[in-house]
Amino acid sequence: MISPRVGSSIERHGGRNVLAFSAGCIGLGQIGLALAPNLAAYIAAWLIVGLGMGAGLYDAAFATLGRHYGHGARSAITMLTLFGGLASTICWPISALLLGEVGWRGTCLVYAAFQLAIALPLYLVILPREPPQPAVKPGVKKAAPILDNQADPSIMIVLAATLTLAAVISSTLSVHLLTILQGSGMALAAVGLGVLVGPSQVAARAIEMMIARYHHPIFTKFASVTFVAIGVSTLWAGMPIIPLALGFYGAGIGLESIARGTLPLALFGSNGYARLMGRLAMPSLIAQAAAPSAGALLLDRFGPHGTLAALSGLALANVILACGLGWRMLRRRQSQVQTR
């Protein structure tokens, strides 16, 4: 709910204070979780963590980079997601180790320490108080946006819809993937297979970083939704190539994170980009919050196979949305050429 305000604040002042606020909220919220004596305090602590997440996940980070680098933020966004792709691969085993050693409350305190002692100071030290407006080098023509987000509300709706559908799929599987794999008869191998997703994300992002200058971000979006659809549909079909299916799925959500930051920048330009990212983040984050609970209901009612069937349908619908977005871009470019 705070995402639009976060985007506006970054647009006006840069991301330094916003991201620092995020680290503080997440750290204090996790301390609250660790010390919570009852359910009410536990929920209140999660609300504080939620404020931090709304002000400090990918959307706020992308907005900060766009505010600082303008159209040159594409490579910085890709680099950021390259490191972020290893989060689950690194933190799942660390979390499992900490749970066994210090319990869930102690684990929350450890992660709170990371936020308050590492992330918070880094934001304050590294990010400038007021980033300069990106300058255009002499002789270099500033890239013009393809679309006007004020004059094209339909394209905003389609873009928000495809980002939200992607968030629903990734959020559901991030919580329930191991349960789905275990329910499909792979109890012992579930964790080992699950960690394939992280390296697949990183590999796809590394390839994207090398070839990004040769294509428009819409093609990153096409690849993302297609890979996710292939991966989820293959799992649903029960084909005996689960590592390959998870590889496709991981590559798809890895590219989705990049497209989520670079496609709005390419479509609408750097002017007002942070504010735009805040608006786009709101439905996506609401969907991320609701999707795991909806996924739990699906698992309870229809089992792993039925849940994968529903996710496959959403993934195919997202392919159609991405194609519609590309068609709209093509029509817009054609009309611009005809008017010149």
Side-chain angles (χ1 to χ4, degrees):
M1 299 300 292
I2 68 167
S3 292
R5 185 178 295 272
V6 166
S8 298
S9 180
I10 294 174
E11 185 68 36
R12 292 194 304 269
H13 308 296
R16 180 178 184 268
N17 292 335
V18 172
L19 293 176
F21 170 80
S22 164
C25 283
I26 294 176
L28 293 176
Q30 288 177 321
I31 292 174
L33 291 175
L35 302 179
N38 51 51
L39 182 61
Y42 182 80
I43 293 175
W46 264 114
L47 291 175
I48 296 173
V49 172
L51 287 174
M53 293 170 68
L57 296 184
Y58 269 154
D59 300 291
F62 293 161
T64 299
L65 292 174
R67 174 73 169 77
H68 190 74
Y69 293 110
H71 279 281
R74 183 176 179 181
S75 60
I77 289 172
T78 304
M79 179 64 72
L80 176 66
T81 62
L82 188 63
F83 284 96
L86 288 173
S88 60
T89 303
I90 294 173
C91 290
W92 282 7
I94 291 176
S95 298
L97 176 64
L98 289 172
L99 283 170
E101 294 295 326
V102 297
W104 71 267
R105 292 181 185 268
T107 301
C108 286
L109 289 175
V110 171
Y111 283 133
F114 273 106
Q115 289 292 326
L116 298 176
I118 298 177
L120 177 58
L122 282 176
Y123 287 142
L124 293 175
V125 171
I126 293 177
L127 292 177
R129 291 182 179 275
E130 173 58 32
Q133 292 293 335
V136 179
K137 295 180 180 179
V140 177
K141 185 179 180 181
K142 185 177 179 180
I146 296 174
L147 302 169
D148 180 356
N149 62 330
Q150 301 299 325
D152 290 276
S154 62
I155 204 70
M156 280 286 294
I157 293 173
V158 175
L159 180 59
T162 185
L163 295 178
T164 301
L165 272 184
V168 168
I169 297 169
S170 63
S171 181
T172 301
L173 284 179
S174 69
V175 174
H176 298 297
L177 178 60
L178 298 186
T179 302
I180 289 173
L181 293 176
Q182 289 168 351
S184 302
M186 290 167 286
L188 294 178
V191 175
L193 289 171
V195 298
L196 292 175
V197 174
S200 299
Q201 291 183 59
V202 174
R205 289 166 179 170
I207 295 172
E208 166 70 12
M209 187 168 61
M210 291 186 289
I211 65 174
R213 64 181 180 274
Y214 300 114
H215 65 267
H216 191 277
I218 189 62
F219 294 104
T220 306
K221 181 65 178 178
F222 286 153
S224 165
V225 296
T226 301
F227 288 168
V228 169
I230 291 173
V232 177
S233 298
T234 301
L235 288 175
W236 169 59
M239 297 181 184
I241 49 174
I242 292 173
L244 184 61
L246 292 176
F248 269 109
Y249 167 72
I253 62 172
L255 293 176
E256 173 62 31
S257 297
I258 297 175
R260 181 173 165 181
T262 59
L263 185 55
L265 182 64
L267 286 176
F268 301 114
S270 59
N271 185 29
Y273 171 73
R275 186 178 295 108
L276 174 64
M277 288 301 295
R279 292 167 59 192
L280 290 172
M282 185 176 178
S284 177
L285 289 174
I286 290 174
Q288 286 184 46
S293 297
L297 292 175
L298 283 173
L299 279 168
D300 185 59
R301 178 67 66 88
F302 301 107
H305 188 73
T307 302
L308 286 174
L311 293 176
S312 296
L314 292 179
L316 291 174
N318 215 12
V319 172
I320 295 172
L321 280 175
C323 291
L325 189 61
W327 177 81
R328 181 70 179 84
M329 284 177 54
L330 181 62
R331 288 289 302 273
R332 178 68 176 182
R333 277 187 164 175
Q334 289 175 342
S335 65
Q336 286 177 341
V337 170
Q338 291 172 357
T339 56
R340 288 174 182 172

